[in-house]
Amino acid sequence: MTGPQVEELAAAPAPVEACARFLDLPYCLLLESAAVSGRLGRYSFLTADPFLVLRAKGRVVEAAGPVGRRRFQGDPFEALRAALTAFATPTIAGLPPFQGGAAGYLGYDLLHHLERVPPPRHDDLALPDLCMGLYDWVLAWDHEAGRAWLVSTGLPATSAPARTGRASARAAAVVERLAGLRRGGPRPATTP
């Protein structure tokens, strides 16, 4: 299988400025290191439009992605593990640590899958217990080094030619958006 496509961005905007250009995409995610203080504030990451979204409430898990949407009964941790295993890619040395993959949240009520405790009386927020996007591209800033990269994996494509083509197309759409040349994209075949 081919590796991710990596492009160093010579004139990358600040993370917050870049994020403004992707806010119309689903599941836009900015992990911003506001305090630049060595190891803890070194990196910022921006991604959007995941190719797969896992949501769970209790034992009802929903997976929405390239082959549509499906609901099933199961353990949310197992569903997440299976997705991470199916779409694992090698890490590229020398780049910031998040190079695409899973990002989202694990809610407090997932504790019911780990231990026996009484359920809450009221579900006052009605939020999923788990909501994770699997992202195929990421903009990564290394504030200490003063550098930024675009990493595009080409997932969920499985064949080498398809993955290379998708990685290139998604990377080109991200670069165009950063340059302000287009409002749409990057778009998957089906948006969750």
Side-chain angles (χ1 to χ4, degrees):
M1 203 54 55
T2 63
Q5 178 176 326
V6 178
E7 180 177 341
E8 186 163 2
L9 303 172
V16 171
E17 180 186 333
C19 184
R21 299 181 189 187
F22 294 89
L23 288 175
D24 62 315
L25 294 180
Y27 298 94
C28 183
L29 178 72
L30 174 62
L31 302 172
E32 170 69 299
S33 293
V36 179
S37 60
R39 190 174 68 79
L40 294 178
R42 182 170 181 179
Y43 303 110
S44 292
F45 304 97
L46 171 66
T47 188
D49 199 20
F51 65 88
L52 178 68
V53 175
L54 288 175
R55 294 166 47 108
K57 187 73 169 173
R59 292 193 53 80
V60 177
V61 180
E62 179 181 84
V67 294
R69 185 179 309 263
R70 72 181 185 102
R71 283 182 170 216
F72 56 94
Q73 294 284 320
D75 180 341
F77 290 113
E78 179 57 30
L80 180 58
R81 186 204 60 75
L84 291 173
T85 300
F87 298 111
T89 58
T91 302
I92 301 168
L95 293 181
F98 182 60
Q99 300 172 10
Y105 74 85
L106 303 173
Y108 180 79
D109 284 334
L110 283 174
L111 72 93
H112 298 287
H113 297 277
L114 302 173
E115 59 183 295
R116 289 187 168 275
V117 294
R121 287 187 179 182
H122 305 286
D123 185 3
D124 56 340
L125 298 177
L127 293 172
D129 300 337
L130 173 143
C131 185
M132 284 283 169
L134 270 65
Y135 294 91
D136 61 311
W137 65 267
V138 65
L139 293 168
W141 287 262
D142 181 338
H143 300 295
E144 186 177 287
R147 298 170 70 187
W149 295 267
L150 165 60
V151 180
S152 182
T153 66
L155 291 172
T158 55
S159 72
R163 187 172 283 183
T164 299
R166 179 171 165 87
S168 294
R170 296 280 277 178
V174 170
V175 169
E176 286 177 16
R177 217 173 239 264
L178 282 175
L181 300 176
R182 93 184 214 183
R183 294 275 313 155
R187 304 301 303 165
T190 60
T191 301

